Amino acid sequence: MVIKSVNLETVCGVTSKLPLNMKPEIAFAGKSNVGKSSLLNVLINRKSYARTSAQPGKTQTINFYNVNDALYYVDLPGYGYAKVSQTEREKWGKMIEKYLKVSKQLRAIFLLIDIRHAPSANDKLMYEWILGNGFHPIIIATKLDKINKSQINKHIKEILDTLEAEKDTIIIPFSAETKQGKEEILTLIEEIIQD
């Protein structure tokens, strides 16, 4: 997939009405600081289009990126960040849930998990929640460059076991530094939107 154009088209806060898009949507979920903005920037071939932040919990809106005027990348708010009040977190949760239920164009959800650590309770909840909404999350194991090659399979197994993932769950190890996994993710997205 060659990226010709990217446009941050819609930003939805807690009270915003979700857009009724006519193009396929691919959503990205993950806890704060898992590298979601970095992944999006790699996928759209831009240095810092999706704002990366040293301060986790920055994405407090649902951001719709129009890619090539052919599909949307939907950046969901990062979850599980401790410094955000419980009330705020519940609002984001409701916002994500509303999106999962309302979107008519959502084709797939990528769930980002840091390959270095076993999935957290929040990751498990998110995984189950996505399943409960009728989707089969595709796992992106981020920060691949932070572990030794010999450790990859062990960490992937730990992620799948902790999530009690479905048998045929797709998991793609990814590094924003080396771009490993990028082509695999883009190929998968192309296949999904052509179905």
Side-chain angles (χ1 to χ4, degrees):
M1 183 191 293
V2 180
I3 306 296
K4 297 189 187 81
S5 66
V6 180
N7 178 24
L8 175 55
E9 202 167 273
T10 316
V11 176
C12 291
V14 175
T15 53
S16 314
K17 201 171 179 306
L18 288 163
L20 291 168
N21 291 326
M22 292 298 134
K23 298 176 182 76
E25 295 170 356
I26 303 287
F28 297 86
K31 68 176 180 213
S32 304
N33 222 6
V34 73
K36 206 151 39 70
S37 300
S38 302
L39 167 74
L40 284 165
N41 286 326
V42 167
L43 293 183
I44 60 179
N45 252 347
R46 301 287 189 278
K47 268 280 188 294
S48 52
Y49 201 89
R51 286 200 305 272
T52 56
S53 167
Q55 201 185 344
K58 265 288 185 241
T59 309
Q60 301 180 10
T61 51
I62 299 181
N63 300 331
F64 291 81
Y65 294 92
N66 181 334
V67 180
N68 289 351
D69 217 14
L71 76 152
Y72 287 94
Y73 287 168
V74 182
D75 184 8
L76 299 173
Y79 55 81
Y81 186 56
K83 284 193 181 151
V84 176
S85 74
Q86 187 59 35
T87 337
E88 269 307 295
R89 284 197 303 237
E90 279 167 16
K91 275 187 200 159
W92 296 355
K94 286 198 173 74
M95 195 157 80
I96 295 171
E97 188 168 28
K98 180 177 155 193
Y99 169 69
L100 294 183
K101 286 191 160 63
V102 168
S103 171
K104 298 270 185 285
Q105 297 297 334
L106 182 56
R107 297 284 188 269
I109 303 171
F110 286 93
L111 177 60
L112 281 66
I113 291 175
D114 186 330
I115 197 165
R116 298 171 298 176
H117 314 292
S120 64
N122 279 322
D123 290 326
K124 280 197 73 161
L125 261 173
M126 192 66 184
Y127 179 80
E128 282 155 18
W129 201 25
I130 295 168
L131 278 178
N133 278 283
F135 291 92
H136 300 280
I138 297 157
I139 312 292
I140 296 182
T142 61
K143 312 203 183 207
L144 178 63
D145 50 284
K146 305 271 195 272
I147 63 167
N148 289 330
K149 280 204 168 93
S150 60
Q151 299 288 299
I152 296 172
N153 289 337
K154 183 186 128 202
H155 284 272
I156 285 176
K157 185 180 181 321
E158 184 180 35
I159 290 172
L160 295 173
D161 289 350
T162 307
L163 291 176
E164 294 170 20
E166 298 179 305
K167 278 250 184 301
D168 51 358
T169 297
I170 297 169
I171 183 163
I172 303 171
F174 171 79
S175 162
E177 292 298 314
T178 66
K179 314 283 190 283
Q180 188 177 332
K182 174 187 176 179
E183 289 313 317
E184 214 177 321
I185 295 165
L186 288 175
T187 303
L188 193 55
I189 290 172
E190 268 190 285
E191 285 166 12
I192 290 164
I193 63 170
Q194 277 162 11
D195 273 358

